[in-house]
Amino acid sequence: MRVLATAGHVDHGKSALVRALTGMEPDRYEEERRRGLTLDLGFVWTRLGGDDLAFVDVPGHERFVPTMLAGVGPVPAVLFVVAADQGWQPQSEEHLAILDALGVRHAVLAVTRSDLADPERVRADAVERLAATSLGKVPHVAVSAVTGAGLDALRTELARLAAALPPPDTEADVRLWLDRAFTVRGHGTVVTGTLGAGTLRVGDRLVSADGSAVVRVRGLQSLHEERTAVGAVARVAVNVHGEGDTGLGRGQVLLTPDRWLSTEAADVRVTGEPAADLPRCVTLHIGTAAVPVTVRPLGRDTARLSLRRRLPLRVGDRAVLREPGGTRTPCGVTVLDVRPPRLARRGAGRARAAELETITGRPDGAAELRRRKLVRRADLRAMGVPVPGEPVAGDWLADPAHWNALKDRLAGQVVEYARTHPLEPGLPTEAARRLLGLPDRALVDALAAALPGIHARQGRLHTADSLRPALPAPVRAAVDTLRRDLARTPFRAPEAGRLAELGLDRRALAAAAAAGALLRITDGIVLLPGADAAAAAELRALPQPFTLSEARRALDTTRRVAVPLLEFLDARGFTERLDAQHRRCRTGAGDES
């Protein structure tokens, strides 16, 4: 299927033309047919050149330009209509400006009412006007919906247009802008829209941009035919059911879950007039949505838009800015960034404007990664940007130059920490994350793993030297005294008073243990290195199993030391607990240290 929208001034015969082409009535309301004035969007279709061609018929009156925008927003091509007896009119001009702002590139011009006036002058004028826009030089046909003259030629040109349209991406994430929502007895909520990309299937789960609706697809129709799946491009009616389904309506959007970033701010490139000349408050039209925005000019043709409500935008999206009331010509915007940085510091706006000058609006994964330095793969995809490589950790992507700089910084921080904290057993991983300004500790782990001179152990990062740090002279002297005490009574760990007398606090003991000068059993309980194996050898000489009291006597120590020492031996596999009272030595564990 291919989908076109009509465009043109009120009363130039758009509805009559698609009625003649399709044999279907596009005006859904009796008032529209009575007044001969289209008030809302109409939908009709026919078969041309072996393919279905659907039309979104839009109103031409100036009061209904927002409705016209909702009709053409999701549609890739247009049937532009100018009446031979009236020629180019104000809404002809505004509709053309809207199409140009949206970057529409595919169109056929129909000069209607050719039975009432010579169409040549009007046709030449319209062709020239269209050629100066994104539409370029378009095929054109003079027709009469009354006499039927030119209809076959128009059908031929429409079939050619449909065949020339770029193929849609049926594997893309779904973003269905809603143009109608209503209730069908026995079925519930039905929404309609133009599916521009992706595929909808019965059973799919969809969400609204603000998360207020989470629905499942109960049924699908396309051109009044029941379907189990519909691929883009297509007009679809979707029977949905779920939380918030009754609140859906025109201007809202249903999305593939977890694939879109809804944003309240976007940096854009403006076409049509200088960014500085834009009103502060305008309406952003994209898809079928019309959202008030506040404009902050940044550069000559760039601006930041602050949206009244969140929208699922992607890099490269085209949209229209229009002042309510239509006193100014609508202008176009191309979305450059849907996750722009805050502009809080003096000069930030100028710096951002300079950065935006280099952004094209075409999704470029490598360029986006250079700007952001670090970004989650899922977020980059949700921005509409292709992923340029594999993650460095978890779902995190990193710009290669930034990643190498981070490795150099981390190595320097670990070395500096070892120099300035000689009694600490290495730089804590969390401290390293903060020092580098990283959002995830997994990134620190990945950086450390990529540095041959850095070792990660128990949540800390060490250099090869800091794994066995040299102790300051006062600490070394105190430890040597303590080692002489322990040589006489190897399992009588010094009391807190003795440690304080020697000036050995928790940090000093941890440094001595890291240097291999002491064996740390628990906080405040230290023995000589190898005391665990020696204790196990003593206990192995006891009748098995043995009690805590028997172990304490065999080791000539106190209960204060014996309890944590036995738990230490259990953890290292020298001994094992049998019940609340008894342990035994494990076979073959005597050489562990």
Side-chain angles (χ1 to χ4, degrees), residues 55 68 80 171 185 187 215 219 221 240 256 268 277 281 299 374 390 507 528-529 540 564 580 582:
F55 294 92
M68 177 269 181
F80 202 99
E171 300 300 317
R185 186 185 297 255
H187 294 274
V215 299
Q221 277 193 2
V240 296
T256 302
V268 301
D277 292 345
C281 297
L374 287 169
E390 292 300 313
R507 292 175 59 201
L528 290 175
R540 196 170 289 111
H582 296 88

Side-chain angles (χ1 to χ4, degrees), residues 427-448:
L427 173 63
T429 303
E430 176 59 21
R433 184 195 68 79
R434 293 194 300 268
L435 287 167
L436 297 179
L438 297 176
D440 192 331
R441 282 181 60 175
L443 292 166
V444 180
D445 295 336
L447 287 167

Side-chain angles (χ1 to χ4, degrees), residues 211 264 437:
E264 292 179 332

Side-chain angles (χ1 to χ4, degrees), residues 540-554:
R540 196 170 289 111
L542 292 174
Q544 305 291 310
F546 55 86
T547 64
L548 170 64
S549 179
E550 291 168 337
R552 181 183 60 75
R553 288 194 298 271

